[in-house]
Structures are given as structure tokens and as C-alpha cells.
């Protein structure tokens, strides 16, 4: 129960951030938004009495019903909660405060960043804010290798095109496309970027001292790969070691102090699963 309450608390924070980004940057500056919220924007223009928040809830009903079979009750319940919080927060914030317009490009970039952060927080708890987020979550089942940010671009891009037609203003959709791109990048950073790590490949004549330093001083495992010099024909070990981003300076200094002639290759590792890093989760995004 405590874990569930914590999860729903985090979902609430992400949903409110999402709603704030809409009122502050999108609605106040006539920037188009993708997804069901974008369709709710169009309905709000056609029927001013229908608020964006309520329109979002109504449009989400068939999507939730369609997604029940594929995403399960837990995701449906948490997504329904997130969608309700974000939709009511949109209307609530709009009633309490009216944001002043700003430069549309600045609004698109800042709004996209804030929206991506909010969505990333919600997605990190296995929920969605409804709408095309559910469509993206369903696409994730079919294309598990694609990150959520890119999957969101597909249905949201279609909605943006419809928004341009409805508003009869191309700039609205173009600014929305900028916001959507920024949002997808920030969302993927929140979901995947926090687990960034490095992988080092080390070729050294001081194999044992380097292994000892990496395993005992830094607490990192080392794998010995058998290699052979193409020019010299000499057989040697290649040390492979995964470590956290913050340990890069220590690894470089340690290797070079033990063997100034060591050959060191450091690569980015965007997802490392295993002891000392991230645990594998079957339904992880």
C-alpha cells in the first residue's frame, strides 16, 4: 500500500506539471498540442462552453475502453487517475490564473520541455496521461525497441496536422511540432537518460594491477576479453568495465597512473542492466 501511494503521488506531480505546461505555454500562446489534448483544443474553439479538461476526459473514454484488453487493469487504473488529475488541473489552473502571452518559439521550447518532464514522470510509474499516450503504449507492445518519445511522435504528429486544418493557421501546428520534438527528447531523458553509464575497453600491459584497482577501489566488475594485436600478432587481454558516469575521471586517472601507455576507449552506455546498475523489469518502457 505504501508503495502504491508513493507511485500515485509521483503520478500526481507529473500530471500537474503536464497541466501547468499546457496552461502556461500552449493555451496562452495559441501553440498547437498533439494528442487528445490537441483535439480538445479544437473542440474548445468550436464549442467554447466545453473546456479543454472536460473535452479531454470525454475523448479519452473510448481509448481507455479499447486499451483495457491490452494494457491491463493496473495501467488502466493509474492512467485513468493521471488523466483525471491532469484534465481537472488544466481547468483549475485556468480558472485561478491567466498567463500572459510570450514569444511563441520560447513558449514552444519551454512548454515542450516542461510537458516532456511531466510525461516522463508519469510514464516512469507505468501510467499514461491518456489519449495518444495510450496509443503509444500499445505501439510499445508491438515495437518494444523504440523509445516512448519517438512512439509519441507518430499519433501526435497526425493530430497536429488536424489542428492546423481546424485552426486554419499553419504557425500553430509548426510551433506545436517544435514543442512535440522537445517534449519527446526530454521525456526520453527522464525515462532513460538518468541511467546513463559508460563502458571502457582497456588494453594494458598491467592487467592485474588495473583489474585490482577497478574491482576494489571503484567496486566495478571487469570482464577479460581475449584479443590479439593485428600488427604484432601478440595475444593480450582487453578489459571491459561498465561504470557510472560520475566515475569517468577516476577510471581515466587510475588506468593512466598504473600504465601511462594503456590504450583506453570509453563509450556511452544508455542502458546497463545488472548488479550495481538497473534491475531488469519485464514491463519496463
Amino acid at each position: 500500500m505504501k508503495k502504491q501511494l508513493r507511485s500515485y503521488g509521483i503520478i500526481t506531480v507529473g500530471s500537474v506539471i503536464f497541466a501547468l505546461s499546457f496552461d502556461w505555454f500552449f493555451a496562452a500562446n495559441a501553440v498547437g498540442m498533439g494528442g487528445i489534448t490537441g483535439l480538445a483544443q479544437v473542440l474548445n474553439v468550436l464549442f467554447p462552453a466545453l473546456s479543454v479538461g472536460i473535452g479531454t476526459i470525454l475523448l479519452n473514454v473510448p481509448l481507455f475502453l479499447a486499451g483495457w484488453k491490452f494494457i491491463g487493469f493496473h495501467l488502466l487504473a493509474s492512467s485513468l487517475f493521471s488523466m483525471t488529475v491532469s484534465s481537472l488541473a488544466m481547468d483549475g489552473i485556468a480558472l485561478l490564473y491567466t498567463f500572459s502571452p510570450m514569444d511563441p518559439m520560447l513558449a514552444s521550447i519551454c512548454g515542450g520541455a516542461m510537458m516532456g518532464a511531466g510525461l516522463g514522470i508519469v510514464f516512469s510509474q507505468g501510467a499514461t496521461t491518456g489519449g495518444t499516450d495510450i496509443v503509444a503504449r500499445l505501439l510499445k507492445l508491438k515495437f518494444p525497441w523504440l523509445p516512448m518519445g519517438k512512439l509519441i511522435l507518430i499519433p501526435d504528429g497526425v493530430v497536429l496536422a488536424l489542428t492546423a486544418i481546424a485552426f486554419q493557421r499553419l504557425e500553430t501546428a509548426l510551433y506545436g511540432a517544435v514543442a512535440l520534438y522537445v517534449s519527446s527528447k526530454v521525456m526520453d531523458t527522464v525515462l532513460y537518460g538518468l541511467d546513463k553509464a559508460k563502458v571502457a575497453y582497456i588494453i594494458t600491459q598491467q592487467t592485474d594491477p588495473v583489474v585490482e584497482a577497478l574491482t576494489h577501489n571503484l567496486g566495478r566488475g571487469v570482464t577479460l576479453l581475449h584479443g590479439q594485436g593485428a600488427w604484432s600478432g601478440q595475444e593480450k587481454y582487453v578489459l571491459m568495465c561498465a561504470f557510472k558516469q560520475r566515475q569517468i575521471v577516476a577510471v581515466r586517472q587510475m588506468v593512466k597512473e598504473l600504465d601511462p601507455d594503456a590504450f583506453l576507449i570509453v563509450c556511452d552506455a544508455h542502458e546497463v542492466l545488472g548488479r550495481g546498475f538497473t534491475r531488469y523489469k519485464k514491463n519496463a518502457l
Side-chain angles (χ1 to χ4, degrees), residues 23-165:
D23 288 323
W24 191 354
F25 299 107
F26 290 85
N29 300 279
V31 175
M33 195 168 183
I36 293 299
T37 308
L39 292 178
Q41 275 184 298
V42 176
L43 290 178
N44 179 247
V45 173
L46 299 175
F47 309 101
L50 182 64
S51 66
V52 175
I54 299 300
T56 300
I57 293 176
L58 294 176
L59 291 170
N60 267 301
V61 171
L63 281 175
F64 274 101
L65 293 176
W68 187 311
K69 177 181 178 181
F70 299 98
I71 61 181
F73 176 76
H74 169 68
L75 180 58
L76 184 71
S78 57
S79 297
L80 183 61
F81 173 79
S82 175
M83 183 269 293
T84 303
V85 171
S86 61
S87 299
L88 295 179
M90 283 180 193
D91 290 348
I93 294 172
L95 287 173
L96 294 174
Y97 189 80
T98 301
F99 292 96
S100 302
M102 64 176 71
D103 178 73
M105 182 57 73
L106 183 61
S108 301
I109 295 173
C110 294
M114 181 177 282
M115 182 174 69
L119 288 174
I121 292 172
V122 172
F123 285 160
S124 70
Q125 300 304 306
T128 75
T129 55
T132 51
D133 299 349
I134 293 182
V135 177
R137 188 68 176 82
L138 294 174
L139 288 174
K140 184 72 174 178
L141 299 176
K142 184 70 175 177
F143 307 103
W145 61 88
L146 288 176
M148 283 297 295
K150 287 185 173 60
L151 289 172
I152 286 286
L153 288 174
I154 300 172
D156 281 1
V158 174
V159 173
L160 274 180
L162 296 175
T163 304
I165 296 173

Side-chain angles (χ1 to χ4, degrees), residues 247-264:
Q247 295 177 308
I248 177 64
V249 175
V251 170
R252 282 200 301 249
Q253 290 178 344
M254 195 175 295
V255 172
K256 288 302 180 181
E257 285 176 2
L258 293 171
D259 184 3
D261 297 323
F263 196 75
L264 177 64

Side-chain angles (χ1 to χ4, degrees), residues 197-278:
K198 297 285 186 179
V199 174
Y201 296 93
I202 307 164
I203 302 174
T204 175
Q205 298 296 328
Q206 304 295 325
T207 301
D208 291 338
V210 172
V211 170
E212 180 77 13
L214 291 174
T215 55
H216 289 85
N217 295 357
L218 291 184
R220 290 299 169 193
V222 180
T223 299
L224 299 178
L225 307 177
H226 292 276
Q228 182 178 14
W231 181 75
S232 64
Q234 180 182 357
E235 292 189 359
K236 57 187 70 178
Y237 283 118
V238 178
L239 312 184
M240 184 182 73
C241 177
F243 52 91
K244 296 288 187 179
Q245 171 79 36
R246 62 179 179 273
Q247 295 177 308
I248 177 64
V249 175
V251 170
R252 282 200 301 249
Q253 290 178 344
M254 195 175 295
V255 172
K256 288 302 180 181
E257 285 176 2
L258 293 171
D259 184 3
D261 297 323
F263 196 75
L264 177 64
I265 303 173
V266 180
C267 309
D268 288 326
H270 297 287
E271 188 174 11
V272 181
L273 304 177
R275 185 176 178 181
F277 293 92
T278 305

